[in-house]
Amino acid sequence: MIWIELFIVLLFIFLGSKMGGIGIGYAGGARVVVLTLIFGFKDGKTLNVSHF
């Protein structure tokens, strides 16, 4: 399973680099969608950190 995940991550990095510019952001978002919807991964939670 880890090899499939690694392949997907590298695939979307490659596609994003070919698109250039904002395409790398779109590819990153698409990667998150694929990993969460198809593979059922939990999305990351934002940190609630106070700087004061």
Side-chain angles (χ1 to χ4, degrees):
M1 186 67 154
I2 187 103
W3 295 109
I4 296 172
E5 299 163 17
L6 180 63
F7 174 75
I8 290 173
V9 168
L10 292 176
L11 175 70
F12 279 103
I13 289 173
F14 175 75
L15 291 175
S17 68
K18 291 295 179 185
M19 286 189 262
I22 195 72
I24 193 79
Y26 286 139
R31 177 184 53 92
V32 171
V33 168
V34 167
L35 289 177
T36 55
L37 293 179
I38 294 176
F39 289 99
F41 289 170
K42 300 289 183 194
D43 56 345
K45 295 184 175 156
T46 58
L47 296 176
N48 189 5
V49 178
S50 175
H51 297 300
F52 300 107

